[in-house]
Amino acid sequence: MAPQHYSRRAFVFGSAAVAGGIAFGLYSDAVQAATASDNPLTAGLEPNSVTFNPWVEISPTKITLIAQHADIGQGVGSVQPIMIAEEMDLDPGQFEIRFAGPSPAYFNTGFADEFAPFVAADQSPAAEEARAATLEYLRKAGLQMTGGSSTIPDTYQKLRVAGAVARETLKAAAAKRAGVAVADLRTQSGHVILPDGKKIAYLELAADAAKIAPVIDAKPRDPSQWRFLGKPMTRLDVRSKVMGELKFGIDMRMDGMLYASVKLNPNKGQPLKSYDASKARAMPGVKKILEIKNGVAVIATNSWYAMKAVAAIDCEWAPSVYPAEQADHWKVLETSFKPEFLGKEWRKIGDIEAGLKTGTRVEAEYRAPYLAHQPLEPLNGIGLVSDKGMEIWVGHQSPQFVQNIAAGAIGLKPEQVTFHNQWTGGSFGHRLEYENVRVLAEIANQMRGTPIKLVFSREEDFLQDIPRQIAIARHKGSVDNGKIVAVDLQLASTTPLKGLLERSGIPSKDPDGQLAAGLWNVYYDIPNFRGTSYEAQGLSPSTTWRSVGASTAGFFTESFIDELIHAAGLDPMKARIAMCNVPTYRKVLETVAEMSDWKGPLGNGRGRGVAFVEAFGTPTAEVVEVTKTDRGIRIDKVWVAVDVGKVVDPVNFENQVQGGVIWGLGHAINCELTYAKGAVQQTNYNHHEAMRIYQCPVIEVRGLENDPKVRGVGEPPVPPAAPALANAIFAATGQRIREMPFNKFIDFV
């Protein structure tokens, strides 16, 4: 099924027929899509081969396990096959890994919690019913996407079931061949073991297994029986990446391939008025100059020649339709706190106006700038167009939408576009957009029959990147008798999720739910509380960025809560623990307090700050310790406690948390995108510098398993980093920093 209109309202209420609830059993969650008619692997199956479900394929020569999600560096190409291999009794090296193609069989169940209009900690019958309805809508729509820290929540159950189904079906095939009872068989290292000790390799059983029905009621093993999961293990891709053997999308080559690079209007989305390519045509390696929708492309014999030549083309661009100068972007935001720009009043408790008149009132304004995604691998892809259709090789998080965008760009039907997902060198939200997909389709269509490899220069990657939202918060609160009595949180921002949906061809009129992340999901016992978002118009388009709305709202909210705690004369850690009204979340705060040995102010130019944010259902608490030196602030150590329900891969879990903290700290300290004459001014790493190794603190991580659901960890460690650092700086210096990047106000060493 083609993806339809994915509005929040449609997700929650689009399936009235399931209002009574959905069965969340193993069958409905994992195996329903695994029947032969729905299994996309059956179409390309070789003779004497078998596929039990969309994740396992066995031929007489190899076992292939399908990684459903895109690997953008977070470990999909390791943990997803390992979850299947755990149940199949396969060892690393006994199977190949392939990324899933576009198919509704790979719909993302992990979005059910995120799209239902209830905070994550709400496990009431009404909340669970809404999530059930959302899950059913996702199943019917077949939405296949990587994002929202959903990789593990989506696949934890169904991949283990998929492996169990394969294991039990192979045992059934072996039992039939040997004439013994299934109960007398066991499996080990890719073999079925008969009662007499004889081993039959899975490869030998492929043809037999294809002749019997899959054992779809197979149950995954209890975690106490795990060999790999839940235990320290080396990621399957580590050696090949360290040795430079793994081929990312940018490394791909094909016979007869030519190379392309582009120069697009830096005023995003606006057309090319005219160009002079006379210099470029005479440069080495140049084969062709092509005009595309909003720019020009050079076809050459290698990427370097293409980049050098396209840079030599003089272009006259149509002007920007949004403010040309950065100061005017801020002015638009400043005037967006008006009823006509109201997104939604997401949550209201008590009497806000009366509460704000009680005790001591506190007000503060916070700001967060546009940010680039800046993955190490710039945008790229290979396209080949023929009379029959198009093939495209590109790393992307939304296979179905790649088909739609590429097809729409050159007048094809989506089913005429064959998509091959690739290993990707980072994303942070970049590979949810389509800047490279559309132009690659246009170029390949003008070069029919020739494979075209497109590589964006680093500068073009920055210029065309759809940035993180820019935002301003205006918060009010009051404290009385050592308690926070009222909090009124208001923010104005560009809309990341609505922008992405519109560019995906499924515009939504509903409020942007990501602006509520970190704004309404506040778990402190505050008697009068309100969270409201305003959606600024006429600014640069924005999109999802690692932790999306929580990356800004989390900074605003936890910084302001800290200000209120200070005004009330309370300890920042003890006050948060006392106010936290969700027991499992309170345990996260208690854990980080124990880890950091929190005992109050440090003194002598040292300070600690704490922040707690729930993002994508995962509660995360962080303590940052800093020292004020003669040269600036030094970040000494960070402690992080995260509850994900089940730590599936401990080593990768720790790395993901540490990486999220570094990402959050580095961007809070150093990074912003600013506009001048309609275009982004920062076009490379030296102007948008993340945290340096010498600045990186020691980061201690602890994973908790108290949450009743399995949660993701790729994004949740990001939002608490900035407010914890800002709160630590205040504790050390008395200076409140309310705007990112922090280096505009204080030096760091």
Side-chain angles (χ1 to χ4, degrees), residues 176-188:
K176 187 174 181 179
R177 175 192 286 192
V180 299
V182 172
D184 294 332
L185 303 179
R186 61 188 177 90
T187 54
Q188 181 182 355

Side-chain angles (χ1 to χ4, degrees), residues 413-604:
K413 296 177 181 178
E415 57 268 26
Q416 290 179 280
V417 177
T418 302
F419 169 74
H420 307 277
N421 217 343
Q422 303 299 306
W423 289 91
T424 302
S427 173
F428 315 111
H430 205 24
R431 262 71 182 193
L432 279 166
E433 288 288 347
Y434 314 100
E435 304 99 298
N436 55 329
V437 173
R438 178 185 55 79
V439 296
L440 176 56
E442 290 185 48
I443 295 167
N445 194 44
Q446 294 187 54
M447 298 291 295
R448 288 194 166 208
T450 300
I452 299 296
K453 181 174 183 175
L454 170 68
V455 181
F456 277 45
S457 68
R458 180 67 62 192
E459 291 75 15
E460 199 67 29
D461 189 283
F462 265 82
L463 283 168
Q464 298 305 319
D465 185 20
I466 310 295
R468 183 191 77 171
Q469 70 274 4
I470 186 175
I472 292 178
R474 290 176 177 169
H475 292 346
K476 303 174 184 177
S478 62
V479 299
D480 190 40
N481 293 323
K483 292 185 178 180
I484 300 175
V485 296
V487 172
D488 187 14
L489 308 177
Q490 299 185 34
L491 67 82
S493 174
T494 51
T495 54
L497 184 57
K498 287 176 72 170
L500 173 60
L501 290 174
E502 183 174 356
R503 288 182 293 276
S504 300
I506 48 173
S508 171
K509 294 182 180 179
D510 294 332
D512 193 312
Q514 272 303 317
L515 297 189
L519 180 75
W520 77 317
N521 51 334
V522 175
Y523 299 96
Y524 300 131
D525 187 10
I526 300 171
N528 306 288
F529 179 92
R530 179 167 61 193
T532 309
S533 66
Y534 295 86
E535 299 182 357
Q537 306 296 316
L539 294 178
S540 170
S542 60
T543 193
T544 57
W545 185 89
R546 191 175 185 180
S547 75
V548 201
S551 69
T552 51
F555 165 58
F556 302 155
T557 300
E558 275 297 285
S559 294
F560 188 62
I561 291 293
D562 209 71
E563 294 204 43
L564 291 171
I565 288 172
H566 178 74
L570 303 173
D571 177 86
M573 180 69 78
K574 292 179 180 178
R576 283 176 169 84
I577 292 173
M579 291 191 299
C580 186
N581 54 22
V582 179
T584 53
Y585 291 7
R586 189 183 311 121
K587 184 64 177 177
V588 175
L589 280 161
E590 291 170 345
T591 299
V592 84
E594 179 264 318
M595 291 170 65
S596 61
D597 193 25
W598 185 286
K599 293 179 180 177
L602 298 177
N604 298 318

Side-chain angles (χ1 to χ4, degrees), residues 156-319:
Y156 173 74
Q157 188 82 323
K158 61 189 177 188
L159 291 188
R160 292 188 303 123
V161 171
V165 168
R167 178 190 72 232
E168 294 304 313
T169 307
L170 288 162
K171 286 168 63 178
K176 187 174 181 179
R177 175 192 286 192
V180 299
V182 172
D184 294 332
L185 303 179
R186 61 188 177 90
T187 54
Q188 181 182 355
S189 297
H191 294 77
V192 176
I193 313 298
L194 300 181
D196 62 2
K198 181 182 177 182
K199 299 180 179 181
I200 307 177
Y202 291 167
L203 299 178
E204 297 177 29
L205 290 167
D208 291 349
K211 298 174 184 177
I212 64 175
V215 184
I216 61 173
D217 60 349
K219 303 293 190 294
R221 289 170 171 153
D222 186 85
S224 63
Q225 298 177 286
W226 285 349
R227 298 174 301 142
F228 304 119
L229 301 180
K231 299 175 173 59
M233 56 181 167
T234 301
R235 267 175 46 168
L236 300 179
D237 55 345
V238 164
R239 183 192 183 282
S240 60
K241 286 181 175 177
V242 170
M243 300 301 292
E245 297 165 351
L246 190 143
K247 301 300 181 186
F248 292 88
I250 201 168
D251 300 318
M252 279 198 65
R253 282 166 173 74
M254 297 176 66
D255 292 340
M257 185 172 72
L258 290 176
Y259 297 78
S261 194
V262 294
K263 177 183 280 191
L264 306 176
N265 193 332
N267 303 311
K268 293 185 178 68
Q270 298 310 297
L272 169 72
K273 294 177 71 174
S274 64
Y275 69 96
D276 179 358
S278 55
K279 293 180 182 177
R281 286 192 179 93
M283 294 179 71
V286 173
K287 294 289 187 180
K288 280 191 177 182
I289 310 292
L290 303 178
E291 184 173 346
I292 52 180
K293 185 177 179 181
N294 63 325
V296 290
V298 168
I299 309 299
T301 54
N302 64 44
S303 292
W304 179 246
Y305 284 154
M307 289 179 193
K308 294 295 287 184
V310 83
I313 299 177
D314 293 325
C315 297
E316 182 182 2
W317 306 113

Side-chain angles (χ1 to χ4, degrees), residues 6 8 11-12 110-118 134 138 143 497:
Y6 296 124
R8 191 182 195 92
F11 268 126
V12 179
F111 288 149
D113 278 9
E114 186 64 20
F115 291 153
F118 292 85
T134 306
L138 287 164
L143 176 61
L497 184 57

